[in-house]
Amino acid sequence: MSLTKMAEKQKALAELARSNPEHRFTNLYRLLHWDEWMRSAANAVLARPGSSTAGVDGHTRDYFKKHYEEQLASLVTELKQKTYQPTPVRRVYIPKSNGKMRPLGIPALRDRIVQEALRAILDPIYETDFQPHSYGFRKGRCTMDAIAVIMPLFNESNKHYYVIEGDIKSYFDTVHHRKLLTLLRRRIGDKDVLDLIWKFLKAGVMEQGLFAETDEGVPQGGVISPLLANVYLNEFDKWAEKRWELNPYERSKRRKAGGGNYRMVRYADDFVVVTNDTIEGVRQAREDIRDFLKTELHLDLSAEKTLITHVNDGFTFLGFHIQRRRPEGRWVVHLRPSEQAKEKVKRRIKELTSRGWTWLDEYTRLTSLNAIVRGWAEYYRYTSLLSDLEDITRYMWHRYLNWLLAKHKGSRPNELVKAKTKVILGRTRWTATVREGDKTQEACILSWPSRDSRLTEPVVDAGRRTNQHQSIEDEPGSWRTTPARL
């Protein structure tokens, strides 16, 4: 099977799923026998930075590449003979923004390859089933697509001023296995595929040399976990759509009757519900959400974190802080980086400019700092205020000065500023050079001009102007047959 035939097969699966919403797919497992299907999965996994991290077997990308043909042939043979058994995931902990630790499961590399091959089969089928206002871990969608949906709802005509900030307790660790299999069976009629998914769910975890069974949850870090998590919460999306997604006539009719309209936007396990209902109606809606998640999906809504907020007080969603304010006599909704997002990038800058890095040359350090801030600024380029970007670049400027003082002991700040800065576009920037053969490369600290309109376009201004954010288009030749819907 060539890559072209693989893409055609994925497109055929998507079209069949779209044309027949009740169809149950069979004969899917045989795709895992195809050499090109498994090679494509292996190449995709090996190209990711995470492939340099080993699972419980200790094998990394280098090992797999060294024994590529042997490893791939072994996987295909085990899958054909149905003797394949995934190994337990290696559990590690990574810090969260609130100071707590998040468990992360790292599957063995060969298990990641099988999961990737399985995901390539299931993704075209379920993508057609997912609801339009689900944005997490979906092809051609990003966080800004989700933000772009809710921002216009806060204007003077829609008046969706109340926000339910949804927080599901330990979602990835509490997915009910049998409920998940029940949902999968609605679309998947291939017993071998379902058995393979069940094996992954029950593979267990290894933590500090000790094995623990997994009775519930999907490991954060698994290749197929985001898809399974979306399949599970798609039931919540369908419940919300049936309850709240009305046509303009029905929405107007409900409003005239004294009721409120609602709109939910979900990104993985993060979701918000915005509404123009009364506070009593909003509280009841929160309880209805809690009851549905508990009764139908065996999930708990956090009582402490699932807040009801007025947009005038501001709330945070997907790293953005959204708040309605009246600075000059008219209401404007500001979209800004959250304080947590700013602190996170500052912590990274502080790490790279610590005394432990003074052995590094200045050109390399400036280049890496620029990459961090440029990426951060690109992510938040649609925010409405430039002061946040100015704050980050100012912080980096002074951190780099402290790093130079530690690197060049005995130097004075004024001497370093005079020797190692240039005025470019009206801003004083740190510079560094490196010589490569006959050429000299120069790097300078990235510092946005204060009048760079590309970074200051308003997102919502008094309900009249909106930034026309266009969602990312699918890659050419992808199996998706329709673009992402906003």
Side-chain angles (χ1 to χ4, degrees):
M1 175 182 285
S2 66
L3 292 178
T4 302
K5 289 184 177 180
M6 181 178 174
E8 290 174 353
K9 181 61 179 177
Q10 289 180 307
K11 186 174 181 179
L13 291 173
E15 289 176 343
L16 180 55
R18 178 172 292 105
S19 63
N20 191 348
E22 305 300 323
H23 181 76
R24 296 183 73 224
F25 288 82
T26 57
N27 297 323
L28 297 175
Y29 189 82
R30 63 183 177 83
L31 294 174
L32 299 176
H33 303 169
W34 289 96
D35 182 70
E36 284 299 332
W37 198 283
M38 294 302 296
R39 284 182 184 276
S40 175
N43 293 338
V45 171
L46 295 175
R48 294 167 186 159
S51 61
S52 60
T53 304
V56 295
D57 60 0
H59 294 162
T60 64
R61 170 175 52 201
D62 294 337
Y63 174 87
F64 197 94
K65 284 185 174 181
K66 186 177 180 180
H67 306 278
Y68 185 88
E69 295 298 336
E70 177 186 346
Q71 288 288 320
L72 202 60
S74 174
L75 276 178
V76 172
T77 299
E78 290 178 31
L79 289 167
K80 283 182 178 180
Q81 297 176 353
K82 301 178 184 177
T83 59
Y84 169 78
Q85 183 64 45
T87 57
V89 300
R90 181 168 69 90
R91 175 166 287 175
V92 297
Y93 291 88
I94 58 175
K96 297 170 65 174
S97 57
N98 59 6
K100 297 182 179 180
M101 303 299 287
R102 182 194 307 278
L104 187 68
I106 303 176
L109 196 59
R110 68 197 312 267
D111 295 335
R112 278 177 261 176
I113 291 171
V114 177
Q115 287 189 29
E116 174 63 24
L118 190 57
R119 185 205 61 78
I121 296 172
L122 300 179
D123 204 26
I125 297 171
Y126 282 104
E127 180 62 33
T128 62
D129 290 348
F130 292 153
Q131 304 305 301
H133 297 304
S134 163
Y135 294 91
F137 307 116
R138 294 182 62 185
K139 188 179 181 67
R141 290 169 176 246
C142 62
T143 54
M144 199 62 213
D145 290 328
I147 296 296
V149 169
I150 61 174
M151 287 297 287
L153 298 175
F154 302 125
N155 62 28
E156 293 290 340
S157 58
N158 290 307
K159 300 182 179 180
H160 284 54
Y161 296 150
Y162 281 115
V163 181
I164 301 175
E165 303 179 59
D167 186 275
I168 301 173
K169 283 185 179 178
S170 305
Y171 171 61
F172 282 89
D173 297 328
T174 57
V175 170
H176 194 277
H177 288 174
R178 293 200 176 276
K179 179 66 176 181
L180 175 59
L181 261 290
T182 299
L183 297 176
L184 288 169
R185 286 192 187 99
R186 295 178 183 176
R187 271 303 208 179
I188 308 302
D190 191 322
K191 183 178 181 299
D192 293 328
V193 168
L194 295 172
D195 288 345
L196 183 57
I197 294 174
W198 186 256
K199 286 181 180 181
F200 281 120
L201 294 175
K202 296 299 184 181
V205 299
M206 290 289 290
E207 184 176 353
Q208 296 181 344
L210 299 177
F211 173 79
E213 295 182 348
T214 46
D215 297 323
E216 59 182 4
V218 292
Q220 295 190 58
V223 175
I224 202 171
S225 295
L227 175 61
L228 297 180
N230 269 337
V231 170
Y232 202 74
L233 280 182
N234 191 49
E235 295 302 297
F236 179 38
D237 297 339
K238 290 192 291 186
W239 175 83
E241 183 175 48
K242 182 178 180 180
R243 187 182 182 93
W244 295 323
E245 289 297 320
L246 308 175
N247 60 46
Y249 171 76
E250 291 171 329
R251 293 173 70 86
S252 177
K253 184 178 178 181
R254 176 182 284 188
R255 199 76 183 110
K256 290 178 181 178
N261 291 304
Y262 292 75
R263 175 68 61 85
M264 185 180 81
V265 171
R266 182 177 67 82
Y267 193 99
D269 58 330
D270 292 326
F271 71 92
V272 293
V273 179
V274 297
T275 176
N276 53 12
D277 206 350
T278 62
I279 187 61
E280 292 79 12
V282 180
R283 288 171 180 157
Q284 183 58 53
R286 180 174 60 177
E287 292 308 308
D288 292 342
I289 293 171
R290 189 191 313 278
D291 291 343
F292 175 83
L293 291 175
K294 182 66 176 179
T295 304
E296 298 297 327
L297 298 179
H298 311 282
L299 299 172
D300 292 318
L301 205 60
S302 172
E304 300 80 17
K305 297 181 180 179
T306 303
L307 307 175
I308 295 176
T309 307
H310 196 284
V311 70
N312 288 5
D313 298 323
F315 69 99
T316 298
F317 183 49
L318 304 179
F320 293 88
H321 184 76
I322 302 171
Q323 188 170 12
R324 183 171 175 262
R325 306 179 70 179
R326 197 175 185 178
E328 298 177 357
R330 64 174 185 172
W331 290 105
V332 176
V333 181
H334 282 163
L335 180 67
R336 302 181 61 177
S338 66
E339 289 301 317
Q340 296 94 323
K342 291 169 63 176
E343 289 303 316
K344 184 178 180 179
V345 72
K346 283 183 177 181
R347 283 197 303 270
R348 182 60 179 151
I349 292 171
K350 186 175 181 179
E351 290 172 4
L352 295 181
T353 53
S354 64
R355 291 178 179 271
W357 285 101
T358 53
W359 58 270
L360 199 64
D361 65 275
E362 297 168 17
Y363 178 86
T364 302
R365 179 46 68 231
L366 274 183
T367 302
S368 59
L369 289 173
N370 274 343
I372 291 172
V373 176
R374 189 183 296 277
W376 191 86
E378 177 70 14
Y379 184 80
Y380 290 106
R381 62 181 172 178
Y382 294 106
T383 55
S384 51
L385 295 181
L386 185 61
S387 59
D388 301 295
L389 298 176
E390 292 281 359
D391 179 33
I392 297 302
T393 53
R394 189 181 304 112
Y395 177 81
M396 184 171 68
W397 199 96
H398 289 288
R399 282 297 310 176
Y400 185 73
L401 172 59
N402 292 336
W403 182 79
L404 286 176
L405 288 170
K407 184 177 180 67
H408 303 282
K409 294 181 180 180
S411 299
R412 295 185 178 184
N414 289 342
E415 295 173 349
L416 291 173
V417 170
K418 184 176 180 180
K420 297 180 179 294
T421 64
K422 290 182 180 179
V423 177
I424 303 174
L425 296 177
R427 308 292 290 274
T428 303
R429 305 169 188 248
W430 294 110
T431 62
T433 59
V434 64
R435 192 167 186 81
E436 295 181 355
D438 297 332
K439 297 181 179 180
T440 300
Q441 301 280 354
E442 182 179 67
C444 65
I445 278 285
L446 180 67
S447 182
W448 297 110
S450 59
R451 292 185 180 181
D452 191 340
S453 60
R454 293 172 297 174
L455 303 176
T456 57
E457 295 174 358
V459 179
V460 173
D461 185 359
R464 296 183 181 88
R465 290 188 294 161
T466 60
N467 178 47
Q468 298 298 319
H469 173 70
Q470 184 177 1
S471 62
I472 298 175
E473 295 294 335
D474 294 331
E475 298 176 3
S478 67
W479 46 257
R480 183 195 288 276
T481 56
T482 58
R485 294 170 290 175
L486 291 182

